[in-house]
Amino acid sequence: MEFRSFLIKYGEIGVKGKNRWKFEDVLIRQVKTALRKVDGTFDIVRQHGRIYVDTDGSADYEDTIEALKHVFGLVSICPVVRFENRDYEFVKEQVVRYMKEVYGTQQKTFKVFTRRIDKDYPGTSETISAELGAVILDACPNLTVNVREPEIPLHVEIRNEAVSIYSLTIPGPGGMPVGTNGRAMLLLSGGIDSPVAGYMIAKRGVLIEATYFHAPPYTSDRAKQKVIDLAKLVAKYAGPVNLHIINFTEIQLAIYEKCPHEELTIIMRRYMMRIAEEMAKKTGAMALITGESIGQVASQTVDSLVCTNDVCTLPVFRPLIGFDKQEIVERSEQIGTYETSIEPYEDCCTIFVAKHPVTHPDLERIRESEKKLADVIDEMVARAVETQERILCTAD
Ligand code: ATP
Ligand code: MG
């Protein structure tokens, strides 16, 4: 069966009235962006509260579906057969042709659901459903009717301008279209967690900006490339991601030199959050995002999170906070970041880790220790922000 049209559906909860238009506008924009990567011509049609993606037949079916599956806000994608000839006999022929081509000789149950949007069309929804059902039963001996739990819900929609038939529903990623919910700054490392965290917040409609703390020569160019690759993978869903690369070496060395070694990680994390917050404010991001999860490592115990959070004034989104590592790994496999995340390039945090980091840091003591940096740190932070390198990461 050749599909030249796709009905795209979104979850409507909470998107009523004026919000609905805004939501649909952003959704359509994101669909257009996603389809730019697919060869072919597309036309997006908004009709009677429905959104269709129409093609001229040149676009590859699988590529189109694959692109649409990356658009947050889409709950489902239904390949549709649409034709303008509304003559009843023609409709019957098309319905039979559809069932034969899509289901072949498969033994399945079906039910016809008719929507008569053109109220002048002869018959009622019930009689049309019954008659189309009878025609299908006649023509397809492998199919039977089940009105309670049909395996094939065959939708026939009769409108003034055309008739649509569909029965296939391909799940979309759900969520909200990116751009309907502000912007946030993701602290993106080369690990497994932070790309998943970015994905989850983007899924709620938030535009993603990212900051990576790079510590050359302790972290290699390859480690930086890995983060760029991860940003590009997140961009498949989130749209283009501006990645800000901060040279963190000087700050790490200063902490290493002046602060107690068991507190290195916590103090370093506090500077990461401070700088990420500055970057957020510069870029219009209203919140921070991290891949932290309670208890995963010493710097993510509740006491440690209290110390890290202490320097933040913006809200910090930690979507993985209650996830087990295995659950995060599964998510990263699903979204396609896992293979890149496990590439073995060192992370700046692993170089400067103490043998016995504090797991229950005391906030007052950490603040005290940081005072040892007082005469150099402001200048270093300013330099780190000024010398940032910005890379626009788009999906390949
Ligand atoms: P991940 O898989 O995200 O690297 P992790 O278990 O290694 O997580 P940590 O190193 O403690 O955790 O980092 C916690 C969070 O801090 C990360 O999820 C990320 O958001 C942020 N982060 C850590 N290192 C960096 C870095 N070099 N650049 C930017 N953000 C970082
Ligand atoms: Mg990490």
Side-chain angles (χ1 to χ4, degrees):
M1 193 87 223
E2 191 196 16
F3 294 102
R4 290 188 174 209
S5 188
F6 300 87
L7 168 62
I8 55 179
K9 295 182 176 173
Y10 59 84
E12 290 185 48
I13 299 164
V15 282
K16 301 208 169 71
K18 252 195 253 152
N19 280 339
R20 174 167 172 163
W21 291 106
K22 187 181 151 220
F23 185 95
E24 284 191 358
D25 286 344
V26 180
L27 184 67
I28 289 172
R29 205 164 64 225
Q30 297 299 354
V31 166
K32 283 185 181 162
T33 307
L35 291 172
R36 252 182 241 140
K37 284 177 257 44
V38 182
D39 286 334
T41 320
F42 297 94
D43 192 17
I44 299 177
V45 184
R46 224 191 277 211
Q47 226 168 42
H48 308 286
R50 296 225 137 161
I51 306 172
Y52 294 92
V53 173
D54 289 347
T55 73
D56 61 354
S58 60
D60 180 70
Y61 175 81
E62 298 295 339
D63 291 351
T64 307
I65 297 287
E66 194 50 34
L68 293 173
K69 274 184 168 176
H70 286 81
V71 180
F72 289 136
L74 291 187
V75 170
S76 53
I77 304 149
C78 305
V80 171
V81 168
R82 199 142 52 117
F83 43 91
E84 283 168 18
N85 183 351
R86 304 187 320 146
D87 174 73
Y88 196 36
E89 289 310 308
F90 185 78
V91 173
K92 285 182 185 164
E93 277 168 32
Q94 291 307 307
V95 165
V96 168
R97 189 169 86 93
Y98 177 95
M99 294 303 265
K100 282 188 185 277
E101 284 195 28
V102 175
Y103 298 101
T105 55
Q106 295 174 45
Q107 301 284 334
K108 286 202 185 280
T109 60
F110 76 98
K111 176 180 176 181
V112 181
F113 296 85
T114 304
R115 269 182 81 198
R116 224 168 105 270
I117 290 135
D118 171 10
K119 296 296 176 206
D120 293 332
Y121 197 86
T124 66
S125 298
E126 289 73 28
T127 57
I128 296 173
S129 290
E131 284 165 17
L132 293 178
V135 178
I136 293 167
L137 282 175
D138 260 356
C140 312
N142 52 311
L143 300 178
T144 50
V145 171
N146 181 338
V147 289
R148 278 167 197 249
E149 271 184 277
E151 289 167 298
I152 308 171
L154 177 68
H155 297 272
V156 177
E157 296 192 354
I158 301 172
R159 302 172 183 278
N160 294 67
E161 60 291 323
V163 177
S164 300
I165 311 177
Y166 67 92
S167 65
L168 303 166
T169 295
I170 298 156
M176 313 274 277
V178 172
T180 52
N181 243 322
R183 185 188 300 274
M185 177 62 75
L186 169 66
L187 283 87
L188 182 62
S189 69
I192 295 170
D193 308 330
S194 45
V196 177
Y199 168 94
M200 288 177 71
I201 299 301
K203 186 175 174 198
R204 300 306 305 159
V206 180
L207 282 160
I208 301 292
E209 197 84 25
T211 297
Y212 165 57
F213 296 91
H214 189 41
Y218 304 98
T219 51
S220 64
D221 276 351
R222 198 58 198 80
K224 171 173 150 185
Q225 186 57 45
K226 177 181 168 183
V227 177
I228 297 170
D229 294 345
L230 286 169
K232 287 180 166 194
L233 292 172
V234 173
K236 270 196 182 179
Y237 300 87
V241 173
N242 266 316
L243 175 64
H244 305 270
I245 298 173
I246 300 282
N247 187 322
F248 203 49
T249 312
E250 186 178 52
I251 295 171
Q252 275 199 309
L253 287 173
I255 300 171
Y256 191 71
E257 201 178 297
K258 295 178 193 273
C259 301
H261 282 191
E262 68 277 11
E263 293 173 359
L264 284 182
T265 311
I266 295 290
I267 295 174
M268 186 187 77
R269 305 258 328 118
R270 284 165 58 96
Y271 279 99
M272 283 187 181
M273 298 302 262
R274 286 182 174 110
I275 294 172
E277 190 161 303
E278 274 202 41
M279 296 309 297
K281 288 175 180 163
K282 271 179 182 292
T283 56
M286 298 182 289
L288 303 180
I289 308 165
T290 76
E292 290 161 310
S293 147
I294 294 172
Q296 196 189 77
V297 286
S299 58
Q300 295 175 28
T301 62
V302 172
D303 306 68
S304 298
L305 290 166
V306 166
C307 292
T308 312
N309 205 65
D310 170 60
V311 299
C312 302
T313 62
L314 294 179
V316 182
F317 299 153
R318 299 180 173 90
L320 306 179
I321 200 71
F323 278 47
D324 293 344
K325 190 73 187 186
Q326 189 49 34
E327 293 171 310
I328 304 172
V329 165
E330 281 162 21
R331 283 290 172 106
S332 75
E333 286 170 339
Q334 281 162 13
I335 67 172
T337 53
Y338 183 72
E339 290 301 323
T340 305
S341 287
I342 58 169
E343 286 175 8
Y345 307 106
E346 76 286 17
D347 175 299
C348 68
C349 318
T350 57
I351 308 264
F352 295 96
V353 286
K355 280 208 183 67
H356 302 288
V358 276
T359 48
H360 300 286
D362 177 75
L363 182 56
E364 285 314 317
R365 270 180 53 187
I366 298 282
R367 285 180 178 161
E368 251 344 277
S369 304
E370 271 181 6
K371 286 187 183 157
K372 299 188 179 107
L373 299 164
D375 50 340
V376 293
I377 198 73
D378 289 350
E379 201 186 304
M380 287 181 176
V381 167
R383 197 159 34 237
V385 170
E386 267 163 37
T387 60
Q388 62 121 350
E389 179 191 2
R390 193 186 69 137
I391 299 177
L392 180 66
C393 302
T394 50
D396 285 332

